[in-house]
mmCIF file of all heavy atoms in Angstrom:
data_model
loop_
_atom_site.group_PDB
_atom_site.id
_atom_site.type_symbol
_atom_site.label_atom_id
_atom_site.label_comp_id
_atom_site.label_asym_id
_atom_site.label_seq_id
_atom_site.Cartn_x
_atom_site.Cartn_y
_atom_site.Cartn_z
ATOM 1 N N GLN A 295 68.728 -1.926 30.290
ATOM 2 C CA GLN A 295 67.527 -1.848 31.086
ATOM 3 C C GLN A 295 67.567 -0.705 32.102
ATOM 4 O O GLN A 295 66.543 0.003 32.321
ATOM 5 C CB GLN A 295 67.246 -3.157 31.811
ATOM 6 C CG GLN A 295 66.003 -3.171 32.617
ATOM 7 C CD GLN A 295 64.735 -3.409 31.834
ATOM 8 O OE1 GLN A 295 64.724 -3.579 30.609
ATOM 9 N NE2 GLN A 295 63.559 -3.447 32.486
ATOM 10 N N GLY A 296 68.720 -0.437 32.648
ATOM 11 C CA GLY A 296 68.828 0.618 33.637
ATOM 12 C C GLY A 296 68.542 2.048 33.170
ATOM 13 O O GLY A 296 68.199 2.927 33.927
ATOM 14 N N LEU A 298 66.186 2.563 30.627
ATOM 15 C CA LEU A 298 64.954 2.541 29.868
ATOM 16 C C LEU A 298 63.745 2.900 30.768
ATOM 17 O O LEU A 298 63.764 2.597 31.953
ATOM 18 C CB LEU A 298 64.676 1.102 29.324
ATOM 19 C CG LEU A 298 65.754 0.628 28.329
ATOM 20 C CD1 LEU A 298 65.363 -0.826 27.875
ATOM 21 C CD2 LEU A 298 65.921 1.555 27.135
ATOM 22 N N ASN A 299 62.767 3.570 30.192
ATOM 23 C CA ASN A 299 61.549 3.926 30.864
ATOM 24 C C ASN A 299 60.616 2.750 31.024
ATOM 25 O O ASN A 299 60.722 1.750 30.337
ATOM 26 C CB ASN A 299 60.781 5.021 30.049
ATOM 27 C CG ASN A 299 61.305 6.432 30.313
ATOM 28 O OD1 ASN A 299 61.729 6.682 31.446
ATOM 29 N ND2 ASN A 299 61.227 7.254 29.311
ATOM 30 N N GLY A 300 59.739 2.892 31.978
ATOM 31 C CA GLY A 300 58.689 1.851 32.167
ATOM 32 C C GLY A 300 59.273 0.511 32.468
ATOM 33 O O GLY A 300 60.231 0.372 33.270
ATOM 34 N N ASP A 301 58.708 -0.510 31.791
ATOM 35 C CA ASP A 301 59.166 -1.892 32.035
ATOM 36 C C ASP A 301 60.356 -2.332 31.098
ATOM 37 O O ASP A 301 60.711 -3.481 31.097
ATOM 38 C CB ASP A 301 57.990 -2.896 31.834
ATOM 39 C CG ASP A 301 56.941 -2.705 32.971
ATOM 40 O OD1 ASP A 301 57.343 -2.266 34.081
ATOM 41 O OD2 ASP A 301 55.753 -2.976 32.699
ATOM 42 N N GLY A 302 60.805 -1.398 30.284
ATOM 43 C CA GLY A 302 61.906 -1.655 29.439
ATOM 44 C C GLY A 302 61.729 -2.813 28.447
ATOM 45 O O GLY A 302 60.833 -2.710 27.625
ATOM 46 N N PHE A 304 60.776 -5.937 29.095
ATOM 47 C CA PHE A 304 59.807 -6.941 29.480
ATOM 48 C C PHE A 304 58.542 -7.020 28.549
ATOM 49 O O PHE A 304 58.151 -8.142 28.189
ATOM 50 C CB PHE A 304 59.331 -6.725 30.941
ATOM 51 C CG PHE A 304 60.275 -7.338 31.964
ATOM 52 C CD1 PHE A 304 61.065 -6.537 32.750
ATOM 53 C CD2 PHE A 304 60.360 -8.727 32.100
ATOM 54 C CE1 PHE A 304 61.919 -7.116 33.720
ATOM 55 C CE2 PHE A 304 61.203 -9.313 33.017
ATOM 56 C CZ PHE A 304 61.973 -8.465 33.828
ATOM 57 N N ILE A 341 68.807 -8.532 32.168
ATOM 58 C CA ILE A 341 67.977 -7.440 32.735
ATOM 59 C C ILE A 341 68.202 -7.321 34.225
ATOM 60 O O ILE A 341 68.400 -6.180 34.748
ATOM 61 C CB ILE A 341 66.448 -7.745 32.477
ATOM 62 C CG1 ILE A 341 66.132 -7.795 30.977
ATOM 63 C CG2 ILE A 341 65.576 -6.726 33.204
ATOM 64 C CD1 ILE A 341 64.691 -8.150 30.714
ATOM 65 N N MET A 342 68.246 -8.415 34.896
ATOM 66 C CA MET A 342 68.399 -8.422 36.352
ATOM 67 C C MET A 342 69.780 -7.939 36.804
ATOM 68 O O MET A 342 69.961 -7.374 37.890
ATOM 69 C CB MET A 342 68.116 -9.802 36.955
ATOM 70 C CG MET A 342 66.756 -10.410 36.516
ATOM 71 S SD MET A 342 65.348 -9.266 36.859
ATOM 72 C CE MET A 342 65.231 -9.425 38.653
ATOM 73 N N THR A 344 71.589 -5.699 35.231
ATOM 74 C CA THR A 344 71.785 -4.277 34.854
ATOM 75 C C THR A 344 71.074 -3.349 35.818
ATOM 76 O O THR A 344 71.631 -2.411 36.330
ATOM 77 C CB THR A 344 71.245 -4.039 33.401
ATOM 78 O OG1 THR A 344 71.829 -4.961 32.569
ATOM 79 C CG2 THR A 344 71.600 -2.625 32.941
ATOM 80 N N GLY A 345 69.776 -3.635 36.046
ATOM 81 C CA GLY A 345 69.042 -2.736 36.929
ATOM 82 C C GLY A 345 69.077 -3.265 38.352
ATOM 83 O O GLY A 345 69.885 -4.058 38.727
ATOM 84 N N SER A 346 68.125 -2.746 39.114
ATOM 85 C CA SER A 346 67.999 -3.216 40.511
ATOM 86 C C SER A 346 67.165 -4.447 40.516
ATOM 87 O O SER A 346 66.035 -4.450 40.097
ATOM 88 C CB SER A 346 67.330 -2.138 41.314
ATOM 89 O OG SER A 346 66.953 -2.595 42.575
ATOM 90 N N PRO A 347 67.715 -5.579 41.040
ATOM 91 C CA PRO A 347 66.981 -6.863 41.054
ATOM 92 C C PRO A 347 65.623 -6.758 41.716
ATOM 93 O O PRO A 347 64.632 -7.332 41.272
ATOM 94 C CB PRO A 347 67.923 -7.808 41.783
ATOM 95 C CG PRO A 347 69.253 -7.217 41.614
ATOM 96 C CD PRO A 347 69.079 -5.762 41.629
ATOM 97 N N GLU A 348 65.605 -5.946 42.826
ATOM 98 C CA GLU A 348 64.322 -5.841 43.558
ATOM 99 C C GLU A 348 63.233 -5.158 42.667
ATOM 100 O O GLU A 348 62.077 -5.517 42.719
ATOM 101 C CB GLU A 348 64.513 -4.980 44.828
ATOM 102 C CG GLU A 348 65.469 -5.607 45.837
ATOM 103 C CD GLU A 348 66.955 -5.367 45.474
ATOM 104 O OE1 GLU A 348 67.193 -4.523 44.616
ATOM 105 O OE2 GLU A 348 67.826 -6.000 46.084
ATOM 106 N N GLU A 349 63.682 -4.246 41.797
ATOM 107 C CA GLU A 349 62.697 -3.526 41.011
ATOM 108 C C GLU A 349 62.016 -4.441 39.962
ATOM 109 O O GLU A 349 60.866 -4.262 39.665
ATOM 110 C CB GLU A 349 63.434 -2.367 40.310
ATOM 111 C CG GLU A 349 62.495 -1.497 39.486
ATOM 112 C CD GLU A 349 63.304 -0.356 38.801
ATOM 113 O OE1 GLU A 349 64.541 -0.237 39.004
ATOM 114 O OE2 GLU A 349 62.642 0.401 38.003
ATOM 115 N N TRP A 350 62.820 -5.423 39.443
ATOM 116 C CA TRP A 350 62.291 -6.255 38.393
ATOM 117 C C TRP A 350 61.984 -7.658 38.831
ATOM 118 O O TRP A 350 61.543 -8.494 37.974
ATOM 119 C CB TRP A 350 63.291 -6.284 37.226
ATOM 120 C CG TRP A 350 63.714 -4.955 36.757
ATOM 121 C CD1 TRP A 350 64.956 -4.414 36.885
ATOM 122 C CD2 TRP A 350 62.914 -3.953 36.142
ATOM 123 N NE1 TRP A 350 64.963 -3.137 36.375
ATOM 124 C CE2 TRP A 350 63.733 -2.815 35.904
ATOM 125 C CE3 TRP A 350 61.556 -3.870 35.756
ATOM 126 C CZ2 TRP A 350 63.215 -1.641 35.277
ATOM 127 C CZ3 TRP A 350 61.077 -2.726 35.184
ATOM 128 C CH2 TRP A 350 61.919 -1.667 34.950
ATOM 129 N N ALA A 351 62.132 -7.991 40.042
ATOM 130 C CA ALA A 351 61.968 -9.328 40.535
ATOM 131 C C ALA A 351 60.621 -9.906 40.258
ATOM 132 O O ALA A 351 60.444 -11.027 39.804
ATOM 133 C CB ALA A 351 62.299 -9.447 42.026
ATOM 134 N N GLN A 352 59.568 -9.082 40.473
ATOM 135 C CA GLN A 352 58.194 -9.528 40.325
ATOM 136 C C GLN A 352 57.891 -9.771 38.856
ATOM 137 O O GLN A 352 57.235 -10.752 38.464
ATOM 138 C CB GLN A 352 57.199 -8.543 40.882
ATOM 139 C CG GLN A 352 55.723 -9.059 40.930
ATOM 140 C CD GLN A 352 55.667 -10.408 41.712
ATOM 141 O OE1 GLN A 352 56.158 -10.552 42.835
ATOM 142 N NE2 GLN A 352 55.027 -11.402 41.076
ATOM 143 N N LYS A 353 58.356 -8.842 37.958
ATOM 144 C CA LYS A 353 58.169 -8.992 36.498
ATOM 145 C C LYS A 353 58.810 -10.321 36.042
ATOM 146 O O LYS A 353 58.222 -11.047 35.233
ATOM 147 C CB LYS A 353 58.764 -7.851 35.776
ATOM 148 C CG LYS A 353 58.043 -6.486 36.030
ATOM 149 C CD LYS A 353 56.609 -6.430 35.444
ATOM 150 C CE LYS A 353 56.603 -6.497 33.926
ATOM 151 N NZ LYS A 353 55.259 -6.366 33.414
ATOM 152 N N ALA A 354 60.017 -10.523 36.534
ATOM 153 C CA ALA A 354 60.720 -11.718 36.121
ATOM 154 C C ALA A 354 60.014 -12.981 36.644
ATOM 155 O O ALA A 354 59.893 -13.941 35.872
ATOM 156 C CB ALA A 354 62.171 -11.703 36.672
ATOM 157 N N TRP A 408 68.834 -13.097 42.833
ATOM 158 C CA TRP A 408 69.457 -12.754 41.505
ATOM 159 C C TRP A 408 70.887 -12.266 41.673
ATOM 160 O O TRP A 408 71.281 -11.229 41.161
ATOM 161 C CB TRP A 408 68.609 -11.695 40.813
ATOM 162 C CG TRP A 408 67.269 -12.153 40.391
ATOM 163 C CD1 TRP A 408 66.077 -11.892 41.001
ATOM 164 C CD2 TRP A 408 66.975 -13.001 39.272
ATOM 165 N NE1 TRP A 408 65.020 -12.551 40.337
ATOM 166 C CE2 TRP A 408 65.597 -13.200 39.295
ATOM 167 C CE3 TRP A 408 67.750 -13.632 38.268
ATOM 168 C CZ2 TRP A 408 64.948 -14.014 38.300
ATOM 169 C CZ3 TRP A 408 67.076 -14.412 37.300
ATOM 170 C CH2 TRP A 408 65.698 -14.609 37.313
ATOM 171 N N LYS A 435 66.253 8.842 31.307
ATOM 172 C CA LYS A 435 65.683 7.578 30.912
ATOM 173 C C LYS A 435 65.057 7.667 29.503
ATOM 174 O O LYS A 435 64.643 8.768 29.129
ATOM 175 C CB LYS A 435 64.595 7.144 31.873
ATOM 176 C CG LYS A 435 65.002 7.021 33.361
ATOM 177 C CD LYS A 435 65.635 5.645 33.593
ATOM 178 C CE LYS A 435 65.945 5.482 35.092
ATOM 179 N NZ LYS A 435 66.509 4.162 35.384
#
Side-chain angles (χ1 to χ4, degrees):
Q295 179 81 0
L298 298 180
N299 275 330
D301 292 333
F304 276 109
I341 296 176
M342 306 307 287
T344 308
S346 167
E348 297 80 13
E349 184 179 357
W350 308 113
Q352 190 56 50
K353 294 291 294 183
W408 292 102
K435 301 276 186 179

